[in-house]
Amino acid sequence: MDNLTNFINGEHVSPLKGQYLDNVNPAKGEVYSKVADSDSEDLAMAVAAAKRSYAHWQTVGYKERAQILNKIADLIDENSESLARAESIDQGKPYWLAKSLDIPRASENFRYFANLILQNTELATAMDSHGVNYVHRKPVGVVGLISPWNLPLYLLTWKIAPALAAGNCVVCKPSELTSKTAHMLGPIMKSAGLPDGVCNIILGLGGKVGAALVSHPDVPAISFTGGTVTARAIIEGSAPYYKKLSLELGGKNPNIIFADCDLDKCIETTLRSSFLNQGEICLCGSRILVEEKIYAEFIDKFVQKVSELKVGDPLDKSSFMGALVSEAHLKKVEGFIERAKKEGGKILTGGVRPDLPLEFQNGYFLRPTVIAGLDSRCEAMQEEIFGPVVTVSSFSTDEEALRLANDTRYGLSASVWTSNINRAHTFSQKLDVGQVWVNAWMKRDLRVPFGGVKFSGVGREGGVDSLDFYTEKQNICISLN
Ligand code: NAD
């Protein structure tokens, strides 16, 4: 059985105490490999390696850094089939999705930030004729990168690429549930010419080795993507060291559908925004709010299409959805459905595990689920479910739609469906979220600021915002008199 080990100072190394966690294939419910169960001593080795390499890496010029990042991108593309297959088996997502979304985005992350440092310029300001200010960007040093299980390589590389581009060394802690592609990335980066110790990857439990990374005194910044509750532990663990934090957290995103929208396009996109990646995307629209006038028509068409979605073998290209990431997560999602029923929710479709061939009967599959009839304050409309479950409700006026959309402690993203250009602007601007898509969902542009408000996050990543996080902007003022 494959042992997934740490990647420290350019080598795969076993955890010092030799302990491993089971790694389960979610589609089969079977242990198929082992993941290093690292502790604070393994972490200390990784941080020490990163610190040693930082002395050299910060002297490597931006053109050479860009060249190495571009080479990593090329090698990810060359290995895209094996990476996509590994991601699908490890996470439960369909292979076609990993091949068309996760892995291409991982290489795009490296290419984008390689390009950004080649193009980036800074402002200088003249103080009349007696002085000049300019911005000097310094890397932060050794940065801790902690990522979740839903888009494993996609989100880890969204952090590694800008951190390295900006001249930092890093210690990564991918999710213990999905460490396979991170394990594969180590040797890819080495083959691309990344010096040893610049990017270290440490595997294991969040509360153990993740917490050790957060409270390590030689790691002055942590970029974290994950749950809102975990973020609190990260804020608390890092507080004694006044660390720089970037927090990309959960969402309870509304899709607001007005009667004047292109309904067919809206329904096609809403199927994806609800159930792509089994609904395990922070940006998934889990609260569907539909204008009363078209509510019945929307429900008829949407529920019909949801009931036709195929759930099954992630490696079969006809499966729209694969398995949820773990048994614990499946049970958590089912718990939300059961409690929603008790709160008066009506299951319009789904809510059950699908009938699948013997090979997949122990897998963590769930039919896509649509629940109607819930009040906005019910648990299923307030808490992030992070699975293939959406609620549908109606509204009569723009004011009511806005009140419902903002009626949550989260504030990550929203989709607004309308053909009224004025409403598109005015309504979007009143939404308390970091990202609004109008007549679209998850149209991503790596140049724009990405992040949430309220309990959905602190800070922005993407484009120059990523460079801002992974550098300290130093002002230098030269007197000219
Ligand atoms: P999680 O918070 O359980 O875990 C995320 C990472 O943090 C994992 O690597 C985990 O091992 C680690 N971790 C756990 N406890 C820790 C601790 N005490 N100290 C340090 N590290 C710790 O999240 P998850 O279940 O892996 O992912 C799902 C969550 O991520 C959802 O809430 C989802 O919305 C969110 N998410 C947000 C975005 C975004 O960009 N805003 C993107 C994807 C996922």
Side-chain angles (χ1 to χ4, degrees), residues 204-224:
L205 297 168
K208 189 170 164 183
V209 73
L213 176 57
V214 166
S215 61
H216 196 294
D218 293 338
V219 179
I222 301 285
S223 171
F224 169 75

Side-chain angles (χ1 to χ4, degrees), residues 5 14 75 78 83 101 178 208-210 253 267 278-279 283 288 297 331 364 368 380 402 414 419-421 428:
T5 50
S14 303
L75 292 180
E78 277 173 32
L83 285 164
L101 176 76
T178 54
K208 189 170 164 183
V209 73
N253 313 310
I267 287 174
Q278 302 72 244
L283 301 168
I288 303 177
E297 183 186 358
K331 288 189 168 151
Y364 313 132
L402 187 66
S419 57
N420 176 333
I421 186 73
S428 299

Side-chain angles (χ1 to χ4, degrees), residues 146-148 150-151 155 158-159 222-236 245-253 280-284 383-386 408-413 433-435 450-461:
I146 304 177
S147 55
N150 64 323
L151 299 166
L155 285 173
W158 177 236
K159 299 182 184 302
I222 301 285
S223 171
F224 169 75
T225 299
T228 294
V229 173
T230 313
R232 180 188 278 246
I234 288 174
I235 294 167
E236 288 169 0
L245 296 181
S246 171
L247 304 173
E248 302 284 353
L249 313 178
K252 191 70 194 167
N253 313 310
E280 296 167 332
I281 301 182
C282 57
L283 301 168
C284 277
E383 296 301 324
E384 185 186 44
I385 298 175
F386 213 55
T408 160
R409 61 188 178 140
Y410 293 101
L412 190 56
S413 69
V433 297
Q435 167 75 51
F450 178 86
V453 301
K454 302 200 279 189
F455 279 40
S456 289
V458 178
R460 293 289 178 275
E461 296 189 357

Side-chain angles (χ1 to χ4, degrees), residues 179-190:
S179 300
K180 177 69 182 173
T181 48
H183 179 76
M184 294 166 79
L185 183 65
I188 288 179
M189 293 188 293
K190 189 173 171 106

